[in-house]
Structures are given as structure tokens and as C-alpha cells.
Amino acid sequence: MSTAERLADGLYGLGWSTVKKLPEPVAARLGRTVADAAWKRRGKGVQRLEANYARVVPDASPERLAELSRAGMRSYLRYWMESFRLPAWSAERVRTGFDPKGAHHLTDGLAAGKGVILALPHLANWDLAGAWVTTTLGIPFTTVAERLKPETLYDRFVAYREGLGMEVLPHSGASAFGTLARRLRDGGLVCLVADRDLSASGVEVDFFGERARMPAGPALLAQQTGAQLLPVTLWYDDSPVMQGRVHPPVEVPEVGTRIEKTAVMTQALADAFASGIAEHPEDWHMLQRLWLADLDPAKGPA
């Protein structure tokens, strides 16, 4: 393990052990302070965030983009402060911490017995949304996590999410897709963050007027299992309560090859994600390259 990896693991461990003990207002102030300091340094992550916002809000002035990136960093640190504290939240705090609209799409889909896939972009706090599902609705679900370096850091994330009631599969390896399909055929729930392709084999979509690549997994799972595919968007307002919307199902086209159907369905997901991101760009935590024009083809995945 390198020095940088040990440092990263230690910092995250400190966050989960210390921040969760802080009073909520103190944690919120700490998050804003750290966010503002990172924003002022204008490192690569902040610059990339601002460049991504420039595509979402193409008519924004440099001053407006700077405001957005500062708000975006504050939103991103709110996500981390909440996530560090989530294991210590009571069931009531989780229940009252999220107000999703359209949740009937989820419950109706599960009641039909064919399984449901929730697909989300990196908006607001997807971990809180997941905790709300397991705690308030009492519904377990399966998700996939990117393998992080060092391995101990990945283990921390897996333990954290499993502690919230999630089954976590590693993104790498061919077995994840088969396990997800089995869970869906059993009538279960699968939740996937799906706005960034990690495989270099995703589906090209039009996203804010330019080409990007998004994972094919959600659409393929829906086709193979008959599960409903539901886009979800999240956002923060000025209250301690995160807002959200479960969108209507993305239907499987009646005609076309599997590749053609997957392309249509993934574009529908991208359109739903774009609608939520356009309304609340500062809550989209995309600090990486996403659009094809920004990617180095030699490096493959985003």
C-alpha cells in the first residue's frame, strides 16, 4: 500500500469514527468549511466540476460557473458529512431525512413481483436514499460498488453500506451481473448509480447536447429479467431534508435488436438524469471526465 493510499484510508476512517459523533449543526459547518477551502484551492476536481457545469449551463458566465462550483463543493461535502453520520442516525431521522415523490412507482413495481431496478446519477446523497428504502420501506436491495484502492478503503465502503442494509457486489468480475439478474427474477430490488461508464463498453448517449457513455447494465437487466427500470433523481433544498423523484418506468421497446433496445432505454435514462441535473446542477457531484470529447481514448473508461 502506497503512502497516498494509507493516507486516504486513514482519512476516511477518521471521518466515520469522528464526524458521526459530532452534533449535526457542527458537522454541517465543518462540511461547508472544508468545501470552501477545497474550492478556493481550485484543484483538478474543482476545475473538472466547473467544466462539467459549463455543459449543463452553457450560457453561464464565468462568475456564475464559479458560484455553481462553490455550491457544488458544498453539496458534495454535505453528502460526505451525512454519509459519515448515517450509521449513527436513528430510523426516525432516516425516515424524515428524505422526501421522495413518486415512490409509488417503486412499491407498485415490487408488488407486481417482477423486480425493480432503480438507476440514479451522482446527485445529492444516494446512500441516504438507499438507507430510506431499507429503513422506511423495509426493503433490502442489491447494489454494485467500484473497487477502490487501497483494498482496505473498499472494505470500509462495503461494511458501511452493508450496515445500512444493502447487499454490495464488486463492480469488477463477471459474476455481478448474474447475481443482480437472480435477485430481480426473485422479485427483488437492485439500485445502480448509472451516469458514468466504468467499463469502456457502455452505450453512447446524447447528454446536454454532446456524446457521453453510460453503462448498459440497467437496460440489459430489465430486458433479461422483465424487471421495471425506474430512473431516480435527487436534490437538496435549504432544509435538512433531501428531496427526490422516482420517475415513471423506462419501457422496453417492442421492436429492435437487443443492442438497439439497450440504446433507446439508456438514452431514456440519460434524459431523465439530465432533467434532474438541469434543475439542480449544484447537486451533481461529477468531479471526473464524462463526455467523450474530454476522454483520452487510450485510457478507456471514464
Side-chain angles (χ1 to χ4, degrees):
M1 186 189 304
S2 69
T3 301
E5 289 174 343
R6 284 196 297 271
L7 178 60
D9 182 52
L11 287 174
Y12 282 108
L14 182 65
W16 270 302
S17 64
T18 303
V19 174
K20 70 180 180 182
K21 300 176 183 177
L22 297 176
E24 195 158 338
V26 175
R29 286 196 300 272
L30 175 61
R32 289 193 296 271
T33 299
V34 173
D36 289 349
W39 177 77
K40 289 177 181 177
R41 284 199 302 270
R42 291 194 59 78
K44 289 183 179 180
V46 173
Q47 293 180 48
R48 173 48 47 193
L49 183 66
E50 203 164 290
N52 289 340
Y53 287 160
R55 283 191 167 92
V56 175
V57 191
D59 58 347
S61 66
E63 293 76 17
R64 172 61 177 148
L65 287 175
E67 291 174 359
L68 271 177
S69 64
R70 182 179 187 183
M73 289 304 295
R74 285 189 168 195
S75 176
Y76 186 45
L77 264 294
R78 175 173 173 176
Y79 158 75
W80 279 112
M81 292 299 110
E82 287 180 348
S83 295
F84 287 144
R85 291 175 50 76
L86 262 178
W89 280 16
S90 67
E92 178 65 12
R93 178 67 182 90
V94 172
R95 184 186 69 79
T96 59
F98 181 39
D99 182 20
K101 286 75 176 171
H104 67 278
H105 292 302
L106 168 59
T107 54
D108 291 350
L110 290 172
K114 293 186 177 181
V116 170
I117 306 156
L118 297 180
L120 308 86
H122 286 81
L123 274 170
N125 191 339
W126 46 96
D127 285 330
L128 172 55
W132 185 89
V133 168
T134 60
T135 302
T136 304
L137 300 183
I139 300 171
F141 66 85
T142 304
T143 189
V144 173
E146 178 183 0
R147 277 203 175 276
L148 303 171
K149 294 294 184 181
E151 194 74 15
T152 52
L153 181 55
Y154 171 77
D155 291 341
R156 286 186 190 275
F157 273 94
V158 170
Y160 155 64
R161 288 180 170 135
E162 287 180 342
L164 299 176
M166 312 175 192
E167 179 188 19
V168 183
L169 307 176
H171 180 272
S172 58
S175 62
F177 189 92
T179 302
L180 295 174
R182 287 194 296 275
R183 299 292 183 268
L184 292 168
R185 291 191 182 102
D186 290 339
L189 175 63
V190 164
C191 299
L192 301 170
V193 180
D195 58 344
R196 187 165 70 98
D197 175 46
L198 296 174
S199 66
S201 60
V203 178
E204 283 196 21
V205 296
D206 182 80
F207 197 54
F208 290 101
E210 291 192 46
R211 302 302 285 174
R213 221 171 26 230
M214 294 188 180
L220 288 172
L221 283 167
Q223 291 176 66
Q224 291 196 17
T225 67
Q228 280 198 350
L229 175 55
L230 303 176
V232 178
T233 52
L234 309 170
W235 66 94
Y236 290 127
D237 56 18
D238 294 329
S239 76
V241 180
M242 183 176 72
Q243 306 298 314
R245 178 174 294 110
V246 182
H247 296 251
V250 172
E251 302 293 344
V252 178
E254 295 183 359
V255 297
T257 65
R258 185 177 70 168
I259 292 175
E260 291 168 343
K261 291 178 180 179
T262 300
V264 170
M265 296 173 72
T266 306
Q267 182 64 61
L269 278 182
D271 292 343
F273 294 166
S275 70
I277 292 167
E279 290 177 359
H280 306 279
E282 68 278 5
D283 291 324
W284 188 41
H285 308 149
M286 185 54 66
L287 281 73
Q288 298 84 18
R289 298 177 187 273
L290 180 74
W291 281 272
L292 298 186
D294 293 335
L295 296 174
D296 179 353
K299 294 182 179 178

